[in-house]
Amino acid sequence: MAQDDNGGIELAETSSTALEEHGLGDGRIGDPGTAVVLDDAPVNPGFPEHRLRITDRDPKHNRRAERTVYTLFYLSIAGSVWAIAAYLAFPIESGKISDLRLSTMLIGLGMVLALLGIGIGAIHWSKQIMADKEGIDIRHPVRGTDDTRERSIEIFEQANEESGFGRRTLIRNSLIGALVAFPLPAVVLFRGLAPQNEDPVKDLKHTMWKAGMRLTKDPTGLPIKASDVTLGSVFHVIPEGLDDTDDVLDEKAKAAVLLMRLKPEDLHVSKGRENWNYDGIVAYSKICTHVGCPVALYEQQTHHLLCPCHQSQFDITHEARVIFGPASRPLPQLPITVDDEGYLVARSDFHEPVGPSFWERNS
Amino acid sequence: MSTSTDTPRLKRTGFTAAAANYLDERTSISAVVKEFGRKIFPDHWSFLLGEVALYSFVVILITGTFLTFFFQASMAEVVYNGSWVPLKGIEMSSALQSTLHITFDVRGGLLVRQIHHWAALLFVASIGLHMMRIFFTGAFRKPRELNWVIGFLLFVLAIAEGFTGYSLPDDLLSGNGLRIIDGLIKGLPLVGTWISFLLFGGEFPGTAIVGRLYTLHILLLPAMVLAFIALHLVFVVVHKHTQYAGPGRTQQNVVGYPILPVYAAKAGGFFFVVFGVIVLIASLFTINPIWEYGPYDPSPVSAGTQPDWYVGFADGMLRLIPPHWEFEWLGRTWSFNIIVPVLILVIFLALAALYPFIEAWVTGDKREHHIADRPRNNATRTAIGAAGVVFYADMWAAASGDLIATHFKLSIESVTHTMQLALIFGPIIAYFVTKRICIALQKKDRSLALHGYESGRIVRLPGGEYIEVHQPISEYDRWRLVSQESYAPLMLRPDSRGRITMSQRLRAALSRWFYEDRLTPLTQTEIEAAAHHGHGDAQPELEEAGPQH
Ligand code: HEM
Ligand code: FES
């Protein structure tokens, strides 16, 4: 770049001087590799003659272009004034969306005028009025000249000589070691991003469900009687007392459950899970086993649950096994029963971690 | 230095001159003006794409700074009590409350939010198009390979900026996006659980993430984007811009307009046009109506919700994995339904980042390249690019598979299966079709250069046959067509010890793949012969039958 003494010569001057000096041919340095280099390559015809614009030839057009440009700039000023006026004249504090839309639009359009006025005006000016003679810069190889490169090597060698960096290997290596080691404490400090004495794996393996805890409606927290759950209905469920916990969202992100009633004969129940449903009422974790979206689209006819995020589908008649989509594992089932008053309660926590898979899931 | 040379040669008076003198005596600014003031920039619409990216980033900086004066990056629970009635009395994080406040209680606040968001969408889009321009014209070749890598980093950083920003308001959609990221991270082998734990400061969603993303979004990432943009532009100046082939333009010059005044006026004006268009869109079209979504809650869902467009490809890739790709092995959970898409994305992006080095190795060409290719003239590269675009587009479309299915009344299964097939076969088909088209276009150029264009005038020869008269094209137009670079396939040669190394074999195979199908470059003699033959006498020229090359 520093070698570029050229600073944009105009074409008219260069076509006769610089171009002839540097030629129109290839003349490039470096190994062309497998490129085909022809002795008899097509010849560059050189620059075509410069054509005058209508604004160069006709003063009337030139004056009109000038008028257009300053009119646009004045319009821009008008646009700014308009935007300020719109800000003052159109309140939004009513909370009505129509007022908000109006204010947004009117302030915005004023700004649009202000911006486009400047923008289009400047471009029009440059295209129609400013001199449109193209210029030319001569390129130089990006690499430094041989002299420069030689000198820089010399400098490095001299520095090496004067410091003994290459010779005194003990100094050099111990310095490299120190430089590698010194950022490590900073890395370790970032351990503090998560609570110090907590094990994520333990947290992930449990939810707040436990034996006897009532199933309640999301978000009201009202308990659910088994008799309320009619055939084909779906309930979005949270554990009783969720709102009294410290981290409501953290707990909810693991404990959210979907409750459905099917005909008992439609359920294919595997060994050990015989008493996990109550008279065809089943509860499954609502957190997708793919990457954790809430699975909450229930197709009553097919008894399929659909996750809206990546379309995994779970078959409730077969203990929520995956029948489509990128998920791999069935949704964990929450064992349920009823208490003395007929309300649905959990028999226990889930028997496996809910939600997305993680490395230590089976450990 | 003698005193006589110190007297300025140019005696100017007046305020501007005095101010300029004052500055120069303290900053040496005149050297900068001398060096850069008349620097030449070539002109072409495709060179504007990078400018759009730059200008939308400036718009983002301006509007983002405004937003910081109001936004509260905190997940502390508050009860909403602002102007928007449907959410009154609802518990939410301070982050969402302050975003609602910007929207409903700060005049012009919604406008600024929407300018910020639309500018962000345009920012990433223009970077993508800009990358494609560089790729298809070969503007990444020596000496610009490193600048391609910087540009690639900017693309990745822009996506990261977008995603962190999208997550800040802590509304239902942004929380769902974070949920997906959390699940994705947890699925990574060995480190996943801990990375998620550290990122969220405990369990998902926790109360830390918005504040942390905020630091990334307004401090770290913008600082990196700014630094890389600065470096990117320094390199553009050092290398000088590429130009398309044209009469008088060579590998040793650059032809265009000087910075002062034309380019400054054009580019400066264009900034205002880009800004104006973004504001126009933002004042007319709602984006991200967080007041309709409400606060994040891990339980509700809405079908058919879409992430911002630029994360679509990653989301789509997740969707394309078939069921049951998760295994237990050695007592650990191997979530290949996550590992595989992540690997595919990483490899795809890595290939894009490294492509310039691959092509340079195949051609062995060590010269500088300052004339941008016409995409058709490098058929294999263009075909590879097309395959990449189709691959990306298919992943991206997959992210809207559910919408496509409901809109066209198809089953989600068939849409997904079609897209799984298209992910594999789409790029292959795109590759071959593009390559054929490029070569056909080259042949057309060739015939145009040699024989001119068909004038549409039919003439009957004395012998009775009919022919169409061809009109020659001007030498300037012809130059644009014939000044192309061409490569021959690499011949395998034993090295000095009489061996052929594996890497030589690979290179030769790649070179054959790249350059086997090609037209041999035209020579001046051929052009002149054709011209002579074409209009040496008044005889109209016959259209040549059969293959010409
Ligand atoms: C490349 C750069 C950037 C991109 C792509 C980007 C993108 C976004 C997006 C998509 C949002 C969501 C906004 C919404 O829909 O309301 C957002 C929010 C926000 N951004 Fe940026 N941003 C960028 C840089 C910045 C910078 C540099 C700042 C500040 C100096 C900033 C400040 C903010 C703030 C305060 C919010 C939250 C306020 C709100 O949501 O209304 N952003 N950003
Ligand atoms: S999160 Fe349910 S399918 Fe991806």
Side-chain angles (χ1 to χ4, degrees):
Chain A
M1 176 174 49
Q3 310 159 23
D4 182 19
D5 39 14
N6 198 288
I9 319 162
E10 271 182 18
L11 269 189
E13 305 159 27
T14 45
S15 43
S16 51
T17 54
L19 261 192
E20 261 156 41
E21 247 169 65
H22 295 267
L24 283 168
D26 186 279
R28 296 152 81 187
I29 53 171
D31 178 1
T34 57
V36 180
V37 181
L38 298 169
D39 296 332
D40 184 21
V43 176
N44 191 327
F47 295 104
E49 214 180 306
H50 181 69
R51 286 222 207 105
L52 290 181
R53 294 165 301 189
I54 183 139
T55 43
D56 296 328
R57 284 182 271 122
D58 182 352
K60 249 195 356 236
H61 275 90
N62 201 315
R63 275 197 303 278
R64 181 166 347 127
E66 185 180 348
R67 264 199 313 276
T68 311
V69 172
Y70 66 66
T71 310
L72 280 163
F73 289 161
Y74 279 131
L75 272 178
S76 166
I77 298 177
S80 296
V81 174
W82 168 0
I84 295 172
Y87 179 92
L88 298 173
F90 293 90
I92 61 171
E93 291 73 19
S94 67
K96 274 195 272 176
I97 202 95
S98 53
D99 285 355
L100 179 61
R101 290 249 157 81
L102 197 66
S103 155
T104 303
M105 190 173 81
L106 290 177
I107 299 176
L109 292 182
M111 289 169 63
V112 171
L113 190 60
L115 293 164
L116 291 186
I118 299 178
I120 299 174
I123 291 176
H124 197 65
W125 182 9
S126 75
K127 288 204 153 172
Q128 297 298 325
I129 301 177
M130 291 184 184
D132 81 330
K133 285 262 168 57
E134 289 193 303
I136 146 170
D137 271 356
I138 303 303
R139 294 181 191 272
H140 305 277
V142 173
R143 79 199 283 275
T145 59
D146 288 343
D147 285 349
T148 314
R149 286 156 64 108
E150 218 144 276
R151 180 65 192 130
S152 57
I153 292 171
E154 257 172 46
I155 290 174
F156 272 129
E157 277 169 353
Q158 191 176 356
N160 187 16
E161 192 53 39
E162 290 172 0
S163 64
F165 190 80
R167 243 175 319 122
R168 303 180 205 276
T169 47
L170 269 179
I171 292 190
R172 186 191 60 204
N173 295 349
S174 57
L175 174 64
I176 293 175
L179 288 175
V180 168
F182 102 96
L184 296 181
V187 174
V188 172
L189 285 185
F190 276 97
R191 167 62 184 85
L193 282 172
Q196 202 56 244
N197 296 316
E198 234 175 277
D199 177 5
V201 178
K202 254 216 227 104
D203 291 344
L204 287 173
K205 287 191 171 172
H206 301 284
T207 76
M208 67 178 284
W209 287 108
K210 51 178 192 266
M213 192 178 260
R214 279 184 179 164
L215 280 67
T216 65
K217 287 188 204 161
D218 181 17
T220 57
L222 297 174
I224 306 167
K225 277 217 158 91
S227 51
D228 296 342
V229 187
T230 50
L231 255 189
S233 63
V234 193
F235 284 76
H236 298 260
V237 169
I238 48 178
E240 174 183 24
L242 173 69
D243 278 344
D244 305 330
T245 54
D246 291 337
D247 328 284
V248 178
L249 290 186
D250 296 10
E251 293 301 342
K252 193 171 183 181
K254 291 189 296 184
V257 156
L258 219 51
L259 190 71
M260 290 142 292
R261 182 171 212 153
L262 281 70
K263 290 197 202 105
E265 63 268 26
D266 284 347
L267 291 176
H268 296 72
V269 180
S270 58
K271 267 247 292 281
R273 291 199 185 187
E274 292 86 355
N275 64 356
W276 286 20
N277 75 73
Y278 179 77
D279 197 17
I281 303 177
V282 284
Y284 284 96
S285 164
K286 195 175 171 183
I287 311 304
C288 188
T289 56
H290 180 222
V291 289
C293 286
V295 185
L297 305 180
Y298 182 53
E299 273 184 52
Q300 298 198 356
Q301 271 80 40
T302 53
H303 308 299
H304 292 170
L305 278 175
L306 175 76
C307 178
C309 282
H310 313 102
Q311 281 76 50
S312 288
Q313 290 174 32
F314 303 88
D315 180 359
I316 296 303
T317 61
H318 284 85
E319 297 181 335
R321 68 167 187 204
V322 178
I323 49 173
F324 186 75
S328 188
R329 284 176 295 104
L331 297 167
Q333 184 174 5
L334 183 73
I336 54 170
T337 181
V338 291
D339 64 11
D340 313 338
E341 298 168 56
Y343 289 110
L344 289 164
V345 295
R347 279 182 178 275
S348 68
D349 194 358
F350 292 99
H351 287 213
E352 56 179 323
V354 299
S357 300
F358 53 98
W359 182 242
E360 303 87 346
R361 193 173 178 279
N362 303 303
S363 63
Chain B
M1 207 185 274
S2 75
T3 40
S4 64
T5 54
D6 272 357
T7 31
R9 274 185 298 148
L10 304 170
K11 264 263 180 260
R12 303 242 164 98
T13 48
F15 176 75
T16 319
N21 181 50
Y22 183 93
L23 261 186
D24 188 43
E25 286 182 349
R26 285 158 187 82
T27 61
S28 211
I29 189 94
S30 63
V32 178
V33 177
K34 171 173 176 279
E35 176 72 32
F36 296 108
R38 291 293 277 185
K39 231 178 176 12
I40 294 297
F41 276 90
D43 216 8
H44 190 269
W45 67 263
S46 68
F47 300 163
L48 295 181
L49 294 168
E51 280 182 47
V52 176
L54 177 63
Y55 300 152
S56 35
F57 182 63
V58 174
V59 174
I60 284 172
L61 281 181
I62 297 171
T63 50
T65 306
F66 178 87
L67 293 175
T68 59
F69 290 120
F70 303 93
F71 181 69
Q72 223 81 71
S74 150
M75 294 171 89
E77 284 291 315
V78 292
V79 175
Y80 180 70
N81 199 18
S83 296
W84 178 239
V85 178
L87 290 180
K88 263 195 211 271
I90 296 216
E91 276 194 21
M92 58 179 64
S93 64
S94 243
L96 182 60
Q97 184 208 32
S98 62
T99 312
L100 287 167
H101 175 76
I102 298 173
T103 307
F104 289 101
D105 297 285
V106 176
R107 291 191 197 181
L110 176 62
L111 179 65
V112 178
R113 272 193 58 226
Q114 299 197 144
I115 297 174
H116 191 69
H117 204 139
W118 279 114
L121 298 182
L122 184 68
F123 181 55
V124 193
S126 54
I127 293 181
L129 292 174
H130 175 59
M131 273 179 98
M132 282 163 65
R133 193 292 277 179
I134 306 292
F135 182 88
F136 286 112
T137 64
F140 52 75
R141 289 170 295 172
K142 187 180 172 187
R144 299 182 177 78
E145 305 97 317
L146 298 182
N147 223 14
W148 164 272
V149 176
I150 294 173
F152 172 82
L153 291 176
L154 280 166
F155 176 65
V156 175
L157 285 171
I159 294 176
E161 265 290 28
F163 187 82
T164 52
Y166 185 80
S167 306
L168 291 181
D170 202 22
D171 58 285
L172 186 57
L173 283 196
S174 75
N176 237 324
L178 283 173
R179 173 81 255 202
I180 294 175
I181 290 293
D182 172 58
L184 192 74
I185 293 174
K186 283 197 174 119
L188 299 177
L190 208 60
V191 291
T193 313
W194 270 91
I195 293 182
S196 156
F197 189 59
L198 291 169
L199 181 65
F200 288 88
E203 285 195 85
F204 174 87
T207 52
I209 188 69
V210 167
R212 290 176 182 179
L213 293 179
Y214 193 56
T215 304
L216 293 178
H217 184 75
I218 74 161
L219 185 71
L220 274 179
L221 292 172
M224 287 168 77
V225 171
L226 262 179
F228 281 120
I229 286 181
L231 202 56
H232 200 64
L233 295 182
V234 165
F235 276 126
V236 171
V237 171
V238 170
H239 299 144
K240 296 196 172 93
H241 208 288
T242 52
Q243 57 190 349
Y244 289 102
R249 300 184 190 169
T250 70
Q251 296 278 5
Q252 273 86 30
N253 70 15
V254 48
V255 180
Y257 293 102
I259 289 195
L260 287 176
V262 176
Y263 194 75
K266 256 192 201 169
F270 190 52
F271 164 69
F272 286 94
V273 169
V274 170
F275 200 165
V277 169
I278 295 172
V279 177
L280 180 65
I281 298 171
S283 35
L284 299 179
F285 301 103
T286 306
I287 181 107
N288 205 15
I290 38 120
W291 58 91
E292 288 175 9
Y293 309 145
Y296 177 60
D297 179 327
S299 179
V301 266
S302 25
T305 52
Q306 295 286 294
D308 267 355
W309 77 266
Y310 43 80
V311 287
F313 74 109
D315 195 53
M317 192 60 236
L318 282 180
R319 297 182 185 210
L320 288 174
I321 301 299
H324 305 300
W325 279 25
E326 183 186 301
F327 308 97
E328 270 172 44
W329 186 48
L330 306 176
R332 298 294 177 201
T333 305
W334 299 77
S335 306
F336 285 104
N337 50 356
I338 292 182
I339 300 169
V340 170
V342 168
L343 270 184
I344 290 177
L345 289 176
V346 168
I347 292 172
F348 177 68
L349 291 176
L351 280 178
L354 297 180
Y355 183 82
F357 306 100
I358 300 172
E359 191 181 302
W361 181 63
V362 172
T363 63
D365 190 345
K366 301 274 188 295
R367 300 169 305 172
E368 293 186 1
H369 296 262
H370 301 297
I371 302 276
D373 278 331
R374 288 194 342 137
R376 66 184 62 173
N377 285 345
N378 200 316
T380 305
R381 177 206 296 146
T382 302
I384 291 174
V389 169
V390 167
F391 188 75
Y392 179 92
D394 188 69
M395 293 192 286
W396 190 65
S400 304
D402 49 338
L403 295 187
I404 295 174
T406 44
H407 191 80
F408 294 103
K409 307 217 173 354
L410 302 165
S411 77
I412 182 68
E413 288 83 356
S414 57
V415 171
T416 304
H417 288 146
T418 309
M419 284 174 171
Q420 284 166 339
L421 288 178
L423 189 72
I424 296 164
F425 294 107
I428 298 177
I429 295 170
Y431 175 84
F432 285 107
V433 171
T434 309
K435 191 156 177 180
R436 284 302 123 201
I437 292 177
C438 284
I439 290 174
L441 286 172
Q442 281 184 37
K443 286 187 178 149
K444 188 176 132 246
D445 282 357
R446 178 72 47 102
S447 127
L448 214 59
L450 290 177
H451 315 298
Y453 54 88
E454 294 159 4
S455 64
R457 204 152 54 81
I458 309 288
V459 178
R460 188 173 172 207
L461 294 184
E465 63 188 308
Y466 289 90
I467 55 141
E468 188 175 5
V469 179
H470 278 215
Q471 210 82 58
I473 57 173
S474 80
E475 59 174 340
Y476 301 126
D477 290 338
R478 185 194 298 131
W479 172 248
R480 286 197 183 86
L481 301 180
V482 300
S483 60
Q484 68 161 293
E485 226 150 44
S486 172
Y487 291 88
L490 175 71
M491 290 296 159
L492 266 185
R493 282 203 199 86
D495 64 10
S496 53
R497 289 153 74 194
R499 287 181 321 183
I500 297 177
T501 60
M502 270 310 286
S503 96
Q504 273 305 83
R505 273 181 217 284
L506 176 64
R507 196 177 146 214
L510 283 173
S511 174
R512 228 177 304 118
W513 175 46
F514 261 76
Y515 300 116
E516 208 164 35
D517 295 329
R518 68 198 187 99
L519 307 189
T520 48
L522 278 182
T523 63
Q524 182 67 16
T525 318
E526 285 172 289
I527 294 170
E528 274 164 17
H532 188 73
H533 171 55
H535 46 89
D537 47 342
Q539 258 321 336
E541 185 216 337
L542 298 176
E543 182 134 35
E544 267 172 51
Q548 294 158 5
H549 302 279

